[in-house]
Amino acid sequence: AAQTPSPSGSAAGKLTFTIGDDNDLDSMNPFVAVEAPAFQIFFLTYDFLVNLSQEDLSPSPGLAESWDQSDDGLTWTFQIRDDATWHDGQPVTAHDVEYTYNRILEEEQGSFIDYISLIDTIEVPDDQTVVITTKEPTLQLLTALVFILPEHIWKDISTEEAGTFENNPPVGSGPFKVVEWEKGQFYRMESVPEYWGGAPRIDEFVYRIFNNEDALVQALRAGEVDFADSLNANPFNSLKETTGITTHEANIPSFDEIGFNVGANDTIPDADGHPALLDVRVRQAMAHAVDKQVILDRVLQGYGTIGTTIVPPFSAAYHYEPAEEDLFQFDLEEANRILDEAGYEDTDGDDVREMPDGGEPLRFRYFVRSENNSTVQTSQFVQDWFNQIGIATEVEALDDTTLTDAIFEGKYDMFHWGWFPDPDPDFILSIFTCGQRPPDGIWSDSFYCDEEYDRMYQEQKTVADVAERAQVIFEMQKKVYEDAPYIVLYYDANLQAYRSDRWTGFLNQPEPDGDLLSGYGNYTFVNLRPVTKGAAADEEEGGSAFTWVWVGLVAGPLLLVAVALLIRRRKGEEDRA
Amino acid sequence: MIAAEERVQASVGSLLSVRDLSVEYPSQAGPVPAVRGVTFDVAEGEILGLAGESGCGKSTIAHALLRLLPPDARVTGQVLLNGEDVLTMKFGRLRAVRWDEASIVFQGAMHSMNPVQRVGDQIVEAVRLHRPGTNDRQGQAQVGELLERVGLPARRARDYPHELSGGQRQRAMIAMALACDPKLLIADEPTTALDVMVQAQVLSLLKELQRELKLGLIFITHDLSVLVELCDRIAVMYAGRIVEEGPAEAIFERPAHPYSWGLSGSFPRIGDPEYRRAPGGLPGDPPDPQRLPTGCPFHPRCPRAFEPCPDTDPPMYPAVHGGFAACLLLDSKLNPEGARA
Amino acid sequence: MSATGEGRGDGGPVLEVRDLHVSFSGRQGLGAGLLGRSATTARAVDGVDLEVARGEIVALAGESGCGKTTLARAIMGLVKPASGEIRYAGRPLRHRDLREFRRKVQMVFQDPTGALNPRQTIYESVAEGLRIHKVSGEEDVLVSKALADAGLRPPERFFLLYPHEVSGGQRQRVVIAGALALEPEMIVADEPVSNLDASVRGEILALLLKLRDRFGLSLLIVTHDLGLAWTVADRVAVMYLGRIVEVGPAEDVLTRPLHPYTKALLQVLPEAGGDLSGRSILLGEPPDPTRIPPGCRFHPRCPEVQSGRAAELGMEERNRTEVPLLREIRPAHFVACHLA
Amino acid sequence: MGARRYLTAKVVQALFTLAFVLVFNFFLFRILPGNPAQILARQRRLPVEAVRELERDFGLKDPLPQQFVNYAGDTLRANFGISFKFRRPVGEVIQGRIWPTVLLVGVATIGSTVIGLLIGIYGAWRRGSGFDMGSLGFSLVTYAMPEFWLGMILLILFASTSGLELFPLGNIRTPGGPASGIAHLLDVGRHLFLPALTLILALLGEYALIMRSSLLDVMGDDYIVTARAKGLREAQVLRRHAVPNALLPTVTLVALNLGFVVSGAITVETVFSWPGLGLLTVEALQAPDYPLLQGLFLLFSVAVIVANLIADLIYGYLDPRVRVA
Amino acid sequence: MAGLIILGFFLIVALAAPLLADSRGLSPVGATGGVLDPPSLDYPMGTDDLGRSVLTLTIWGSRISLMVGFFATALSMVIGAVIGIAAGYYGGWRETAMMRFTDWFLVIPFLPLAIVLASILGRSLFNIILVIGITSWPGTARLVRAQTLSVKERPYVERARALGAGDWHLITRHILPNVFPLIFANTILVVAIAILSETTLSFLGLGDPLRISWGTILEFAFNGGAASRGAWWWLLPPGVAIVLVVLAFTMCGYALDEILNPRLRRR
Ligand SMILES: Nc1ncnc2c1ncn2[C@@H]1O[C@H](COP(=O)(O)OP(=O)(O)OP(=O)(O)O)[C@@H](O)[C@H]1O
Ligand SMILES: Nc1ncnc2c1ncn2[C@@H]1O[C@H](COP(=O)(O)OP(=O)(O)OP(=O)(O)O)[C@@H](O)[C@H]1O
Ligand SMILES: [Mg+2]
Ligand SMILES: [Mg+2]
């Protein structure tokens, strides 16, 4: 059926941009929400003090027009812009910033406090100025992803209430505001013409939830939605050839890894990791035995890039790529050689190596996520390669909860999971510090602990110069790569597709291949506009072979029934007596 | 032969006249001949008793009379009700005849009434069906009358079948059967499930109604002794066929067919020393309708079987009691001494 | 009260039942229980005294629901009596003797079709008792003998047949054979022929009589058919609403009944040439064991009361308050009626 | 008297079942592996102190009996705790999603019951006819189909661009479309069509089969012969005598089936992005959001218990016999 | 009879899976096809997105699906039969208690309970069997109890009791043989339901993703966007297999029911 090449919801003269996704919104309360759709709202509703630039995520003016760092690096002065207003008309002032930061610091608000934990004091000399002193010199404040909230709304919400406060609709200072939220269905946002960054060109933005990716793809094809986010490879492929639709593999900060239990016994007495994994040579041998290219090609159908270190290339300034000769190339012979040399030999002829003392065989529990098919599929390749180097694996699919528990208790050997780090590498680096090991810490899932690494971690926090900091961070990545508590498999991509026959003005963040929607800002939404000239009308797509199979499948039996009816339709008279 | 023709003659002008009725049920193991050429008549105001062992085809006849057999049963012969053949009449006409001219009281009253409908409503249903003009009030009044006639208080109309006792239910069934003033009432073992005392109550009720309303009545039972009191004539069935027919008392006291002897002998008369410590009855078991013996189907159990019995299927012969019996002993040529009377 | 009718029975009583009571509590729903509703109790057997002598045939007759089957089952220990005593061979029957007792006393049921497991061959059905009691001896010989005794000849022909492959009369013989296999001293038969065709009944009854004559079996035959009692029984006991109201030699009880209830029962039996409308039929519904009238339990339906004869005799009050006991009015003929 | 007793008995029974479900529900969620607060914390990247706080929030530090008392009290006050995922009271979260499911399940139940029963009735009446054979085959096939698979097929056939595009692909209404009035109702109806059709098709077969066999059973009963003997037309026999009796066993089955309808709703809502409790269940399952799962489970159970109670009462109304029994 | 033939076919396929298809085709490592190749001579049912032959998957999937069906049913039957017979035979308060318990389970909606249990117990084949088993027995228990009650009241049981038989004798010789056909017919219907349940649970992601069953194939296909990719060969074979097998079991169950229940027979 032909569709007029107009945006999905241009009824009533409104310009509506609709995106479809398979994830539901959990809450509009920034202290509570974790799901991506919620952050989509926050990016459009709120501002940061300092934004991340569209081109390269570098600090760029947000609510702060400009900023200054004192020479000792400890004091920051931010100039708050005077043209920003809250959606309810109140002006945005320095007090709102102060309030937001203080509240997070006082209440130790989980997801945000890490960004600003080094803050010592906050002062507001006037409505337009915020002066922040930090305990140590840091660049953290420029990359703090903290949404600035209106004090006049939030001051009435007590700490207890904040946990369940609905915040619907949220009052912010961003280019869009929520006007309707049908839970589990969609939410609708209207543009705010008074936005300090300039009025968006669309009137309305709708986020629709599809639980079925096929439906989402069909909706995009049918023009019910204009943009499909976070697609799987197969549907994505199917959209590639469709006219009027453009596909995009967005570079995002994400990677998958195989993690090892490299020493849970140090902090948890009854942990039961395999002793062989304490030996770095075993882990290196295993790193040699994983053909990341095959996994990328077969499991991800090529979407993404081969993984190396723990800071993804997304954070271009901080990503370290090991030199060719330092890489653990896929080389099963090399892997076997390393293991032989280290004394892990198969003494009992069962094709599985034993510990040098001849005892325990190298048989590892290998946990994958039942929620994630890629991990399941990867495991089948990995298992096969490991078999070839005399390492047996028992693959088990666990749900995330159970897996989290196993890791927390140190009762695992290896697992496959992934991370979605911030653009700033601080957090992802922190998870390899000794302090993060359970049960005291939370985030370490390999129980990696290294004094030198910890020292460097502290150092990078306080280096005020980007280049200098990057050097430290390179070293850290190198160390983790070589010690191999993780085998980083790949950096995956966010697969997006949109109606390029209707819309234009999409902006990547960062350039050249970042996310088209809200990577870490609202750039696309403010810039988005309909294609002006009437583009080519959708061509009639004849029923594909596919349709006919389905039609046949349903019509066939019906036809048979009908025929049976005709044939068997004999005397239907009432006389049965 | 001659006898059969005589019987046909006798039937002219009777209320119901059944001619050579046969019924076959289909089954996996081939057709089951349940009724094999049955001929009898019922005059207005007459009570005919139909007796015989279980499975001899009594209920099948009752159902056939109003064409109530399952559609796959093969029915041949004639069932003339007031001269009209029920078996060939149009379905619409048949519906009109049902209940209006002939009604049935079935064996188990509990199961013959719709368990989820009030007794009164079930009676009214019949009335309204055949007397379309009846309004609610008339219907109710009539139901009350009918119930009272069978000895139930009118308010029982509001009860459901399960709220009545066995005897009461049977009475309600009878009331329902009388709803359209039929000429003929077929009662298929109406008292078998009942206790002796209640059975006596129902029997006397039936007799009384029959006398008052000049009903033709076909009373079916396996208990020959019940028939003796109630009926004018009795027909004894064996293996799908009437083997003896005649005046009630005569058949009970002086049966002509050896099967009837056995049947009558199995109901002892209390006080009669002849029966004391001498159980009557017949040896052997009733025949399987699908594997009937050759010749006279009764011959394997017959105490007086003689040479021709296994080969000759006996026709009806006139018997001394004035009725007829299908036994070769009555054939003066085959058995010159004649039957023991 | 040890009269044994015509003297067929020799020796003392084999089975004695003394003041036996059996009651059933009505079903009590969970909800009803919570709401404090008391259960309705049916006193199915309400004080029965009865004895059966060696080699004697006793018929227990009465209307449907009067408690005949319950009495029979209580004798076999299939329902637990509320009170009273059953004595076998002079000794009170206790729970631990039950197994032994059930070897000596066998029961034959009303419905031969139901009494045979459709999935067991006739051989297995007959042999079941032998197996349960681990009777020594060649099993198939014993089974053959039992089948032959029950009139199923040649027995081998029946071994592998299933119940549905033989006729109703033969089924009842199989059941009897199953009882005979254990060489019992007594058989309790609950309506042994009422599910059989009239013409076949005679054979089974003849068989029972023959067994008594040959093996000296005692028989307690439960029946609602007084004609049957006349045919086979030495003594007849008439039961009404859980109690025996009249007991005595069959000829005496059936030809010269003393209790108005027995009279009524005999009256309604069809008779050639009899006039249905002319006889007194008891009115009202069958009695209900959950609501037993006080005094003489028959008085609400008693023709003597209704006709006013009781009042004439000044017994009205007694009828309503005093339970009549069995009194020997004629030799060995007992009746429980204030008017007799 | 009998009627009242039947009624009270049924209500008391339902209350007992309810009590059982309450207890069962409590223990079911106490045998969870690990500590819910910790799981939650790790998913949200909370520092350790926050975990302690959460534990306090969820009352996990109390002794078990105390927890049960709290749970029972809370449940009776319709307080089902805070959803892990949505961080709002479970009751509120559920409330927001209840109507779509009521609509879907209601339409599907009514539709499948009515159509299924009619098919069953007609099939039994014309036993052995082409219609009977056809509908029997059809019923068996739809009964054998996983309903989500059927849903996917219908979706592709009738909604996708490679199909007929007659209906929308999912959701309950067009975003930004009319929010009230006739247009709104039509819009919802269009969205409802496919999911409801899927459920109806999936359920219909069973009802048709039940009704057919129940009616065949009844058609052999003696009172049917009586009715025929009275001179009723076949249609009257069917309508007045056979169907009312055949409906009796069907009523109970339809009610018992509600549990399956709910199950069907879970997968069908997933396929059609229908924003009801089924979809919410799947979301809660994926989170995993235990308080929400607990609340949903309780609600589903209560719904089925109540439906059964209603069925029992209807049964009592339809069948005068059970009132005394 | 068609039912029996279909069943026989699938049983043979399941048993002969190693002969029909190389099990290495189940692992993406051994997969030789391209991504989502349509049916061809080499791959009669095409390939999935890992290049595995859908035919191979479906053939091997029949093993897991049928196995789950059988074991879950066996579990459910054992529980149902034991409770049903015990309740029916012993009666009294024991019966009341057991039947109350059964009724409770009967009204608890199956899928939500299964979801809750599966998410609590974790995802494995064993748990799936367990979950289906312990959620599907109440129907059987009720049926068996009703039949036991009716068998218990049959005169032959009373006769055996009067012959001196004990409980064990009665249950094993009389009750069980006469309840068994019913249990058997019911079993066959429950297998159908169990297979459907496995499919549904797998579809919701509660199955064991490491074991290929028809349900997991469908889940992969659904989540892998088979429909939008036009890969009907990925959705159809497992779906049709499920429909056929469930249909076959149902038909056999009904046929048996009809044989065992004379009232349904043609009049
Ligand atoms: N629908 C049927 N299909 C096949 N055979 C049948 C059918 N109904 C009855 N029969 C057979 O026909 C014969 C006669 O049955 P009918 O019911 O007429 O006997 P009856 O004399 O009424 O017996 P009873 O005294 O037991 O009621 C029996 O052998 C019976 O098995
Ligand atoms: N298991 C039981 N539970 C409750 N009441 C019972 C039970 N068995 C019998 N009764 C009641 O006890 C009374 C006597 O029943 P019983 O079966 O002994 O009568 P009966 O004389 O054998 O009758 P019939 O001639 O009909 O066989 C009846 O009212 C019956 O309803
Ligand atoms: Mg009959
Ligand atoms: Mg009895």
Side-chain angles (χ1 to χ4, degrees), chain E residues 29-231:
Chain E
V29 185
T32 45
V35 174
L36 291 177
D37 282 345
S40 63
L41 277 182
D42 287 344
Y43 303 102
M45 289 179 187
T47 61
D48 73 355
D49 60 347
L50 290 172
R52 299 179 288 190
S53 162
V54 176
L55 180 62
T56 305
L57 294 179
T58 308
I59 288 173
W60 282 86
S62 67
R63 289 194 145 193
I64 302 291
S65 288
L66 290 177
M67 189 182 95
V68 171
F70 286 135
F71 280 107
T73 305
L75 183 63
S76 136
M77 280 305 131
V78 170
I79 304 176
V82 167
I83 291 199
I85 290 185
Y89 183 78
Y90 289 106
W93 64 268
R94 276 173 287 198
E95 176 181 16
T96 313
M98 279 189 267
M99 287 336 283
R100 242 25 326 241
F101 187 65
T102 309
D103 284 348
W104 289 336
F105 263 91
L106 203 64
V107 294
I108 292 178
F110 157 74
L111 194 56
L113 177 59
I115 285 177
V116 167
L117 278 179
S119 69
I120 287 172
L121 295 175
R123 284 141 219 226
S124 75
L125 212 54
F126 177 76
N127 286 345
I128 286 277
I129 291 173
L130 197 70
V131 164
I132 297 176
I134 57 183
T135 46
S136 60
W137 61 268
T140 309
R142 286 237 307 211
L143 203 71
V144 169
R145 168 181 159 268
Q147 181 75 0
T148 305
L149 278 181
S150 111
V151 171
K152 187 178 78 167
E153 295 303 322
R154 303 232 175 112
Y156 57 80
V157 175
E158 180 116 295
R159 168 176 171 266
R161 203 192 290 273
L163 280 172
D167 290 347
W168 184 245
H169 179 96
L170 290 178
I171 289 178
T172 54
R173 299 294 164 76
H174 293 287
I175 309 272
L176 206 55
N178 284 289
V179 174
F180 188 75
L182 188 89
I183 299 183
F184 187 65
N186 187 246
T187 302
I188 287 179
L189 290 173
V190 172
V191 174
I193 294 169
I195 290 177
L196 276 180
S197 306
E198 188 271 338
T199 314
T200 306
L201 290 177
S202 293
F203 172 74
L204 293 174
L206 289 166
D208 183 346
L210 291 166
R211 305 293 197 102
I212 304 290
S213 73
W214 292 331
T216 45
I217 303 176
L218 275 184
E219 191 229 355
F220 292 156
F222 178 69
N223 289 324
S228 57
R229 192 59 203 277

Side-chain angles (χ1 to χ4, degrees), chain B residues 184-203:
Chain B
L184 179 67
L185 184 66
I186 303 157
D188 184 5
E189 314 215 24
T191 58
T192 309
L194 301 179
D195 206 51
V196 267
M197 203 62 72
V198 187
Q199 168 176 333
Q201 294 169 3
V202 172
L203 286 180

Side-chain angles (χ1 to χ4, degrees), chain C residues 68-70 110 190-191 222:
Chain C
K68 307 181 295 288
T69 300
T70 308
Q110 170 174 20
D190 185 8
E191 314 251 13
V222 171

Side-chain angles (χ1 to χ4, degrees), chain B residues 195, chain C residues 22-27 42-45 62-73 79 110 190-191 222-224 239 241-242 287-290, chain E residues 153:
Chain B
D195 206 51
Chain C
V22 182
S23 47
F24 296 103
S25 52
R27 239 197 313 170
R43 281 141 64 196
V45 174
E63 247 174 320
S64 175
C66 68
K68 307 181 295 288
T69 300
T70 308
L71 176 59
R73 296 180 69 226
V79 288
Q110 170 174 20
D190 185 8
E191 314 251 13
V222 171
T223 180
H224 62 264
M239 220 170 147
L241 206 45
D288 176 359
T290 60
Chain E
E153 295 303 322

Side-chain angles (χ1 to χ4, degrees), chain D residues 248-271:
Chain D
L248 293 176
T250 318
V251 167
T252 333
L253 276 161
V254 168
L256 265 185
N257 236 30
L258 199 88
F260 290 96
V261 184
V262 165
S263 305
I266 291 177
T267 52
V268 169
E269 287 185 6
T270 306
V271 171

Side-chain angles (χ1 to χ4, degrees), chain D residues 62-131:
Chain D
D62 297 330
L64 208 61
Q66 181 60 42
Q67 280 187 38
F68 183 75
V69 171
N70 293 346
Y71 157 84
D74 284 348
T75 305
L76 291 182
R77 268 175 273 120
N79 174 5
F80 306 104
I82 308 288
S83 154
F84 284 176
K85 177 172 177 180
F86 297 96
R87 292 304 294 278
R88 281 190 301 123
V90 166
E92 252 178 63
V93 174
I94 290 179
Q95 223 170 40
R97 297 289 204 89
I98 210 163
W99 293 114
T101 294
V102 170
L103 180 66
L104 176 62
V105 167
V107 168
T109 302
I110 294 172
S112 56
T113 314
V114 170
I115 303 174
L117 297 191
L118 285 179
I119 291 181
I121 290 171
Y122 196 76
W125 190 27
R126 293 265 177 263
R127 185 173 188 187
S129 69
F131 177 87

Side-chain angles (χ1 to χ4, degrees), chain A residues 88-344:
Chain A
D88 57 6
Q90 303 258 18
V92 178
T93 68
H95 292 286
D96 294 310
V97 179
E98 179 197 21
Y99 172 79
T100 305
Y101 279 18
N102 275 334
R103 177 153 196 171
I104 290 169
L105 290 168
E106 277 160 24
E107 294 177 3
E108 298 186 335
Q109 280 296 347
S111 34
F112 298 118
I113 192 163
D114 283 345
Y115 296 123
I116 54 173
S117 56
L118 287 176
I119 290 179
D120 193 23
T121 61
I122 305 174
E123 278 156 41
V124 181
D126 61 70
D127 273 4
Q128 250 47 63
T129 313
V130 183
V131 179
I132 299 176
T133 55
T134 58
K135 297 169 189 154
E136 288 165 55
T138 180
L139 290 173
Q140 239 189 6
L141 290 184
L142 297 182
T143 55
L145 302 179
V146 176
F147 301 110
I148 304 302
L149 304 173
E151 180 179 9
H152 62 279
I153 304 275
W154 283 84
K155 67 173 196 291
D156 300 331
I157 312 298
S158 69
T159 308
E160 295 85 68
E161 283 167 331
T164 53
F165 179 50
E166 266 209 77
N167 194 30
N168 180 14
V171 173
S173 54
F176 288 87
K177 58 180 184 205
V178 173
V179 288
E180 190 181 3
W181 177 24
E182 285 257 344
K183 285 162 192 147
Q185 287 278 291
F186 65 87
Y187 61 77
R188 200 155 61 82
M189 301 180 86
E190 269 173 12
S191 62
V192 178
E194 301 82 27
Y195 180 56
W196 56 264
R201 304 187 203 187
I202 55 172
D203 302 314
E204 209 175 57
F205 158 61
V206 172
Y207 180 99
R208 273 182 71 178
I209 297 148
F210 289 83
N211 259 69
N212 171 352
E213 194 150 315
D214 285 320
L216 171 56
V217 167
Q218 296 298 344
L220 183 68
R221 286 215 179 105
E224 268 188 47
V225 301
D226 304 306
F227 196 106
D229 204 3
S230 15
L231 291 165
N232 281 321
N234 290 318
F236 183 75
N237 281 338
S238 75
L239 289 168
K240 273 189 164 166
E241 300 93 40
T242 316
T243 43
I245 289 176
T246 300
T247 55
H248 175 68
E249 301 162 38
N251 176 16
I252 47 166
S254 168
F255 68 82
D256 265 33
E257 83 282 352
I258 289 177
F260 299 110
N261 182 348
V262 303
N265 277 95
D266 295 346
T267 54
I268 300 173
D270 62 343
D272 62 358
H274 198 286
L277 291 171
L278 303 179
D279 187 342
V280 67
R281 290 168 299 176
V282 173
R283 304 198 296 265
Q284 287 173 342
M286 287 160 90
H288 275 295
V290 174
D291 190 343
K292 297 174 182 174
Q293 188 66 49
V294 166
I295 290 173
L296 182 65
D297 289 348
R298 299 290 297 280
V299 176
L300 295 192
Q301 300 194 20
Y303 296 117
T305 50
I306 286 185
T308 49
T309 58
I310 54 174
V311 176
F314 181 87
S315 309
Y318 297 109
H319 172 68
Y320 168 74
E321 190 65 27
E324 186 75 20
E325 64 271 17
D326 292 340
L327 283 176
F328 298 116
Q329 301 286 3
F330 177 63
D331 186 346
L332 294 174
E333 271 170 38
E334 173 70 5
N336 274 316
R337 198 189 55 72
I338 296 174
L339 289 171
D340 286 344
E341 243 171 45
Y344 298 88

